[in-house]
Amino acid sequence: MTTKYLFFTGGVVSSVGKGVTAAATGLLLKERGFRVTAQKLDPYINVDPGTMSPYQHGEVYVLDDGAETDLDLGHYERFIDIRLRRYSNFTTGQVYAQVISNERRGDYLGGTIQVIPHITNEIKRRIRLAAREANADIVLVEVGGTVGDIESQPFLESLRQLRNEVGRENVLFIHVTWLPYIGATQELKTKPTQHSVAALRSMGISPNMIIARSDYPIDDSLCEKIALFCDVDRRAVVPMMTTPILYEVPLLLEKAGVADYVLERLGLKAPVQPDWSAWRALVEKVKQSKPTVKIALVGKYVELKDAYMSVREALKHAGLAENVEVEILWVHSADLEKGKGWEIVQQADGILVPGGFGSRGVEGKIQAVRYAREKHIPYLGLCLGMQLMCIEFARNVLGYEDANSTEFDRSTAHPVIDLMLEQRSVTEMGGTMRLGLYPCMLQPGTKAAAVYGVPSIEERHRHRWEFNNAYRKEFEQAGMVFSGLSPDGKLVEISELRDHPYMIGCQFHPEFLSRPMRPHPLFVGLIRAAKQRAGLSSNL
Ligand code: GLN
């Protein structure tokens, strides 16, 4: 069939859930039997978010092929349950880098390089590439930022051109906006939406559908007003009140008739009817009252919860599978160093140390690891969290007081975590870590093998340092088990403590492969152990 495109733009303000809306719409279409892919266009000039501060960018979401991408790709993968590739996300920086390199190679034969057509052609090429590579019936393309941003103009212009090239009947523009609430008069306002649609029109794009977001109920008359002023069908104005239940969004969009309208406008017939029973059951489970399990998340970007988006979701998924409400206790690792925040850690039924870079707050995390080990609190360490588990063990079990990672102390006498061999010659910071999917063999009889229930796995990575094999024997003799190894046996992928209910660290990022219906085994293991610690009935 002819490839169809859904273009998602944002109006009024960012952070209103455009990514989730696109992801959920993708699910509506996949449920109807279409092959769907999703792509995010990021207007910033960085080549990728890999070198950006989590405070600036939020989580860097890693794909199978090692692409370091926007966190919206996490929403796409979790909702639509697809595996995306490098072409699924690109930035202005990548587009310019490509065009400039073409120019240096002489590809443009002396022409003057301009935004139109050179930059826009490159943008369109990349969108078509995603459609082709994914062999998709329907491609959802989300433009980051909001209409009116100076950076997003070339993207919008490219979408306008693409619409003409592939035919209007194959394209729909979906504009996601925000209705501000005026407290004094207790009303929602549509004017900013009207203005953002006017801005979109000035670029030659008339939206076909408007998804109006608000924290308050949106009544019918407002939808009519938006339809009238923004020149869209009344059926195509979709009121979307904020829901505390993320995974309810597809059901709400379904109820609002989004998919039916989209298919009608694109002239498509659904090969199959959607079956929402599993999603309904999932949402029902979320709504049920359940006993609470508290997990302390000891990190350094805890002010910005988006920095740990996939970890939060993975905890949620595991909680649902285990019929508990997972309450995340956010603990700033630097606070622990100052003796603050321990009362929070003490309440926790489990401790999680996520990935991280740089030395700030590392000692606080190591103290949290020690607490988990000595007090037998269930622990899951992700990437850096695994490395710190090894450092703590070296210091306090083996007695190597200055044991460290060479990331934090280049001259430590006991570099139990050391730079990987292939990383030693690396000088460029962007895209040069050990990235993406790598296989790992699970050692029979270990806790890791038990939670996974399979002999080998593949997980997504993002790191430069690794466990130093010179210390393997000593660690093993003292009670550390290396339960996951690379197929050649040389790289420690999972370590766990023998005499502890559940203390596991992994060199990879399991959070990226957790799905609402398929929680990740390592997270399920943590929640089970935490349940037991909390005295809740457990099926362990
Ligand atoms: N900074 C550590 C490394 O590069 C851990 C990285 C991470 O947690 N993602 O190996």
Side-chain angles (χ1 to χ4, degrees), residues 62 353-358 365 382-387 405 407-408 417-420 423 433-434 461-466 506-509 511-512:
V62 181
V353 174
F357 297 85
K365 291 180 187 169
L382 313 177
C383 204
L384 179 66
M386 177 265 199
Q387 298 174 353
S405 162
E407 180 179 5
F408 314 123
I417 302 295
D418 206 359
L419 200 57
M420 302 180 75
Q423 287 289 329
M433 281 187 253
R434 179 170 179 255
H461 295 70
R462 183 170 185 250
H463 66 119
R464 290 186 205 281
W465 275 265
E466 64 174 333
C506 51
Q507 189 54 82
F508 46 82
H509 288 274
E511 66 272 26
F512 297 139

Side-chain angles (χ1 to χ4, degrees), residues 13 77 178 191 206 221 301 327 331 351 360 423 426 438 442 463 488 535:
V13 284
E77 286 204 339
W178 180 252
K191 188 70 80 189
S206 291
S221 64
Y301 307 110
E327 185 187 342
V331 181
I351 296 176
R360 184 171 64 90
Q423 287 289 329
V426 167
Y438 284 93
L442 300 173
H463 66 119
D488 64 4

Side-chain angles (χ1 to χ4, degrees), residues 17-35:
K18 179 155 46 82
V20 170
T21 306
T25 307
L27 176 64
L28 301 188
L29 299 167
K30 185 190 172 201
E31 278 293 319
R32 284 171 165 76
F34 294 104
R35 279 191 311 261

Side-chain angles (χ1 to χ4, degrees), residues 145-370:
T146 30
V147 171
D149 296 346
I150 193 162
E151 285 97 348
S152 58
Q153 286 190 15
F155 288 112
L156 296 175
E157 167 61 15
S158 306
L159 299 187
R160 187 194 67 77
Q161 293 176 16
L162 198 61
R163 176 195 62 196
N164 294 345
E165 289 166 21
V166 302
R168 283 167 192 261
E169 67 283 9
N170 297 319
V171 169
L172 271 195
F173 280 92
I174 300 180
H175 192 51
V176 184
T177 77
W178 180 252
L179 307 179
Y181 180 78
I182 308 297
T185 51
Q186 298 185 343
E187 56 177 350
L188 290 170
K189 290 294 192 186
T190 66
K191 188 70 80 189
T193 296
Q194 297 175 38
H195 280 300
S196 79
V197 169
L200 203 50
R201 284 241 189 77
S202 74
M203 309 231 23
I205 295 168
S206 291
N208 305 102
M209 177 178 273
I210 293 178
I211 298 190
R213 289 270 301 102
S214 167
D215 283 340
Y216 297 85
I218 304 162
D219 67 40
D220 224 39
S221 64
L222 277 187
C223 294
E224 268 157 30
K225 191 165 171 188
I226 294 170
L228 181 66
F229 281 90
C230 300
D231 194 28
V232 292
D233 291 345
R234 168 61 191 88
R235 278 177 63 208
V237 178
V238 180
M240 269 297 283
M241 202 178 130
T242 307
T243 162
I245 304 170
L246 188 67
Y247 296 116
E248 197 176 19
V249 175
L251 300 180
L252 297 175
L253 292 179
E254 179 70 277
K255 206 164 143 206
V258 168
D260 296 334
Y261 187 81
V262 165
L263 294 194
E264 194 179 302
R265 287 293 302 252
L266 293 175
L268 292 175
K269 279 233 150 38
V272 295
Q273 282 311 303
D275 173 7
W276 291 110
S277 48
W279 279 87
R280 281 210 193 93
L282 186 83
V283 170
E284 274 318 303
K285 247 185 175 179
V286 178
K287 287 181 179 164
Q288 267 160 26
S289 82
K290 302 178 276 299
T292 301
V293 153
K294 293 179 183 162
I295 302 293
L297 193 151
V298 184
K300 75 177 197 186
Y301 307 110
V302 292
E303 310 88 317
L304 187 81
K305 312 274 183 286
D306 273 8
Y308 302 112
M309 177 75 81
S310 295
V311 176
R312 276 161 65 194
E313 291 307 306
L315 284 170
K316 223 194 264 177
H317 303 160
L320 285 171
E322 286 297 307
N323 279 310
V324 288
E325 186 75 48
V326 177
E327 185 187 342
I328 301 179
L329 311 176
W330 299 92
V331 181
H332 209 300
S333 51
D335 281 351
L336 297 181
E337 291 168 10
K338 297 180 219 135
K340 291 195 289 184
W342 283 100
E343 69 290 352
I344 306 175
V345 176
Q346 280 156 12
Q347 288 173 33
D349 307 309
I351 296 176
L352 186 148
V353 174
F357 297 85
S359 58
R360 184 171 64 90
V362 154
E363 290 301 323
K365 291 180 187 169
I366 294 175
Q367 288 170 25
V369 173
R370 178 175 194 168

